[in-house]
Amino acid sequence: MTAKRTPREVLAESRRRDSREKRSKVLAVVDEMAARGDTVSFAAVAKAAGVSNWLVYAEGVREHIEAARKKQAGQPRREAQAGRSSSAASLATDLELSKQQITALRTERDQLKTALQRQLGQQLDQVGAAGLVARVDELTRQHAALTAERDALRQEKAELEGRLVEAEEDLAAARSSLRRMIRAENAGPAAAT
């Protein structure tokens, strides 16, 4: 007869079983990756096994992954990988093509930059020209108003000068008349005595 287990014991056993299954799965994934010639890394193993990163660094698992990595580092590349790798000539060709592409992209960038500068300059000219046209129109209106005011003032001045001449003539005539009256006044009493 077995003793009845408590819920705590059942849960602990379940967790241990789950942990063993996950560790077995990680170890199997490491072996599969090494057999296929895939690069074994902690992140790649965690992703392929569908487990968290902390598990691949756990004791017992970490050592297995490190052993697979050391074994891979000491082995020459397999034929499947060698077929995927590039030869020195292929790499040189790729490098030259990349340089040509970079040169073409730089040229295109410079052309686009120049075109953009030209377009922005034209926009600034248009904005400046529109502002200048408005300013010239305003100054033209002000000039016309000032010219009309000047002409009106000239006409008023001419009228005032004419009135001044008349007033001076009237004043001169009044002085002359006053002198005659004073002479007549002065001559009258002397003649009476």
Side-chain angles (χ1 to χ4, degrees):
M1 209 167 147
T2 60
K4 189 168 182 170
R5 296 186 302 167
T6 65
R8 182 178 180 174
E9 292 171 337
V10 172
L11 183 61
E13 178 59 32
S14 174
R15 285 185 181 166
R16 281 192 290 275
R17 188 176 29 210
D18 187 43
S19 177
R20 280 192 305 272
E21 288 172 4
K22 285 183 179 179
R23 285 173 182 260
S24 298
K25 184 176 182 181
V26 169
L27 298 177
V29 166
V30 170
D31 292 339
E32 288 173 18
M33 288 177 73
R36 284 194 311 259
D38 294 342
T39 303
V40 177
S41 69
F42 289 98
V45 170
K47 185 175 181 181
V51 297
S52 62
N53 285 337
W54 71 265
L55 180 61
V56 294
Y57 288 101
E59 192 174 328
V61 177
R62 179 183 65 238
E63 291 81 4
H64 193 74
I65 294 173
E66 286 175 348
R69 288 175 56 133
K70 285 179 185 175
K71 185 177 178 185
Q72 270 188 339
Q75 291 178 344
R77 297 188 120 193
R78 294 175 59 189
E79 285 302 314
Q81 290 176 324
R84 283 186 272 161
S85 68
S86 302
S87 66
S90 175
L91 290 175
T93 302
D94 288 347
L95 178 63
E96 187 59 35
L97 289 173
S98 296
K99 286 180 181 179
Q100 289 174 1
Q101 187 177 18
I102 288 170
T103 303
L105 289 172
R106 285 182 179 160
T107 302
E108 183 180 357
R109 179 205 61 201
D110 293 342
Q111 290 171 349
L112 290 172
K113 187 177 178 182
T114 302
L116 181 60
Q117 287 173 342
R118 195 174 310 119
Q119 183 179 11
L120 287 175
Q122 288 174 351
Q123 288 176 355
L124 285 175
D125 287 345
Q126 290 173 354
V127 168
L132 288 175
V133 167
R135 182 71 176 140
V136 167
D137 289 344
E138 179 185 345
L139 291 174
T140 302
R141 283 191 301 274
Q142 288 179 355
H143 178 265
L146 290 173
T147 301
E149 185 179 350
R150 181 203 63 199
D151 293 344
L153 289 172
R154 280 184 178 168
Q155 184 177 357
E156 186 179 349
K157 178 186 170 220
E159 290 173 5
L160 289 173
E161 285 175 344
R163 288 172 55 192
L164 180 62
V165 168
E166 288 177 18
E168 286 174 349
E169 289 173 358
D170 288 345
L171 181 61
R175 283 182 182 161
S176 175
S177 175
L178 184 61
R179 276 191 219 120
R180 275 193 305 256
M181 284 175 43
I182 292 175
R183 274 190 230 134
E185 183 85 23
N186 287 341
T193 46

